[in-house]
Amino acid sequence: MNLIGNVVGGSVGEHIVIRLKSDSKVDVGDIIKINSGNDDYFGKITNVKIFSSVPEQFIHEIAGQKLEHGYENHLFDREDRFFRIAEAKVLKIMRKNVGFVPPRSIPEYFSQVNVIDSSDFSFMQNNGRIPIGFLRLGTKEMDTFIVKLKGEELISHHILVVATTGKGKSNFAKVFIRGLMMEPNSSAVVFDPHAEYYGEKNIKGLRDHPKKSKVLYFTPRTAEFPGSESLVIHADELNPSDFMGVVNFSDAQVEAMDALYKRAGRKWLAYLINTDMSEIEKSLDSKVMKATIASLKRKVCYAMELEDEREGLVFTTRESINNMSMFKKVINAVMNSKIIIVDTSIIGGESEKLISGAITRRIYNFYRKAKQQNPDYFKQLPETMVLFEEAPRVLGKEALAGGSNVFEKIAREGRKFKVGLCAITQMPHLIPKEILSQMNTKIILGLPSSADRTAVIESAPQNINDESREIQMLDRGEAIITSAFTDFPMPVKIFNFSTILEQDNEQMKEQKTFIVGME
Amino acid sequence: MEYNSLIEFISKNKEHKDIPCLEIKEFLQNTSKSNIYAVDGGNAVIIDGGTWIISKVRTAVVLYNKNRVNESHTSYIVANTENAVKSEPEEEIALPKKIEISEIPNHFRKIMEVEECIKSVEKAEKDDIVLCDFLFIPDNVVIALKINELIKKAEKKGVVVVGIGKTSRANIKGNSLIGFLNSMNQNKKSLWYSILEPASNYTDLVAKLYPLSKYTYRINTNSKDIENTLGILSYYSSDTAIPGYPYPLIRADWLARITDNEKHLEKTEIGKNKDYRKLSMDERSMDFHERLDEHAHK
């Protein structure tokens, strides 16, 4: 333990004021312990500021003497008169012979304040299963204390990962998925718009992990990735509701889609795209105008990226014959607790939304049906996480203005069906408050924008008002995790994915060597 | 009379005075850090009953050498029109023949200050400096005797005692002495002093202790090496936050000062005494100004 100061003020529910010792090294985010009578207070530094008993105008004059006249500053008892004040929030109180109690009291004046070290973490419960990083004290990571998140409950109660560019959103996601790969009964579907999760030539990804057999990769670039599955969606697997929330349709166009679906069933899209418009108009008893059909066709083709109106990178109007549908493959993989990565890196925006929405809807409906029709079977199904980047594209106020979509539905009621979201974004303020507050775990990496910080802080499951400054200053890989499943906001240094990947591979090699040796 | 004419009146009268030229000498700062004891006192009337008074008096000593040492002593005094008694240890206070009851706490504080200086001289070693927050010019016989004792004891031990007057009404033919000296050295960025009167047991002088300071102080000292002593004082007056005044005395002032908060706490404590109620009626004879202050628009 390292004495850093004395308590000189504060109030319950706000913060404790600490006069810092002149030679103490204290950072925002440091965890402290204050002994006061029978209580040990555990807290976190939320702010550090300079202070002086010398009135401000004199301080300005002191600076002026050096600047204007070249006189060196000479101050008696400098450390008594010019010092630092820290503010800390109380996290927990350990009461002698009682145990942990909520922070409803405050330490005495002049109680000693210490920065805790690795030998003093008994107060932190660490009963999670998915390791994501080291506990962080300010800028120092404690490599003896690994922060683990609960897997199952955490997933179905949704996760929001927020950070500005370069702060480590994707690294966190990879670390978290790597943790899920170790779990026997967890599954994830990852929509990968930057082709960074599976791994490429010079980028390490989940395919390089010893448990890579758990990963199923769907990509339009199968030639580049031997063993991967082709990302092909046949038009006859889509129905009108797959397009809702993806493309902005007029009421007439929606009615036209319904009429087409009634008329041609599963082949409604092929019929719309490949049939002469006059014939369609006629077949629909002229209830739909030709112009409506034309614009519907244009919008649908655009969303499916059908270049020659028959084949696109992913979508095709060819009939699915013997091949097992991509959707079925995904559902099978989910049932078998696999990690499914869908490569959307070479696909355009609307098409990507169509793919992710269609896949997610099928998973969600599968779980809902299972719960309704076979509750025992439902209980055995793994918890499934749907991970997607640039979350406002599907959960943003603008995206939802045209109507609800499957992502919003999952956000609101997915926990009942063991399906959860892991939404990644740089701009959480674009997501409605009600949805943000459904995200019961928030992984907050650096957020310089005050609008984004406010959105996250206001919707956090714990009071993190005091952490605003820290959130602003977080460096790459540093995070605050606020969750309904942790006792307080946890400061974490997220593992570097490449490093733990190497460690996992080393460990696997050692295990193999040991087994060979045994033989 | 308007402000302008008031200022004109003062300025005209100054011009006609014939002021003798005083010799001004420069000196250098001396960074040899001698032990320096700084003594100051503070007092506050806790309750004023008109014909009686309860007051709190505190003296503080700060020793500056390698390690700073603080010490303070607190006494309470109870005085009426006839006599005055101090606490811890309880004994009667010697009073001059003519003294107002309201002046008794100040008088006793001065005694305590001089006594604290004497104690510091007793603790000090040869060439140490005992810095007092008063000039050696006594108000009355009681204090004159104490100051005399202080200077004699210091002389005997080879200790330098220095008394500083923060304010002075000393004048030459009606002109402020320090004001005049300051005007002569307006643009000088040097350390200087001017001896007013070499008395038999101490020297009376005026000195500026920091080049950029706007203040000059009247100083009394028994030092035989005035420039060396002033050089050391100058070092201790070089604190950039309050330049020109010895920092150890500022520290002693902080310790000795009786704050309004402390005064109120003391008053509350006394008020808890059940016998106090009978006496509290007397307070009405003196506290109406306070009542007015409480109602005043601030």
Side-chain angles (χ1 to χ4, degrees), chain A residues 65 74-77 80-81, chain B residues 64 68 210 238-240 247:
Chain A
Q65 287 193 35
H74 176 223
L75 295 158
F76 288 91
D77 304 333
D80 292 358
R81 300 153 72 201
Chain B
Y64 270 83
R68 197 188 72 215
Y210 187 75
S238 61
D239 184 87
T240 328
Y247 178 77

Side-chain angles (χ1 to χ4, degrees), chain B residues 181-197:
Chain B
L181 289 168
N182 274 335
S183 67
M184 281 179 65
N185 287 277
Q186 223 166 22
N187 299 318
K188 253 190 185 174
K189 285 187 175 177
S190 61
L191 301 168
W192 57 265
Y193 71 101
S194 178
I195 292 177
L196 303 174
E197 199 179 336

Side-chain angles (χ1 to χ4, degrees), chain A residues 53-54 58 61-62 65-66 69 71-77 80-82, chain B residues 64 68 189 210-212 235-243 247 251 254:
Chain A
S53 56
V54 175
F58 292 110
E61 278 182 23
I62 293 169
Q65 287 193 35
K66 167 84 177 161
H69 304 284
Y71 278 70
E72 281 304 321
N73 289 340
H74 176 223
L75 295 158
F76 288 91
D77 304 333
D80 292 358
R81 300 153 72 201
F82 297 88
Chain B
Y64 270 83
R68 197 188 72 215
K189 285 187 175 177
Y210 187 75
L212 290 183
Y235 166 73
Y236 280 105
S237 304
S238 61
D239 184 87
T240 328
I242 313 173
Y247 178 77
R251 196 88 209 173
W254 288 341

Side-chain angles (χ1 to χ4, degrees), chain A residues 304-329:
Chain A
M304 294 169 75
E305 292 188 336
L306 297 175
E307 282 161 17
D308 58 358
E309 298 195 343
R310 284 179 189 275
E311 293 286 330
L313 279 169
V314 174
F315 295 96
T316 172
T317 53
R318 280 185 289 116
E319 225 175 295
S320 55
I321 315 171
N322 293 326
N323 287 345
M324 198 206 260
S325 135
M326 188 245 172
F327 295 138
K328 280 182 186 159
K329 284 181 188 171

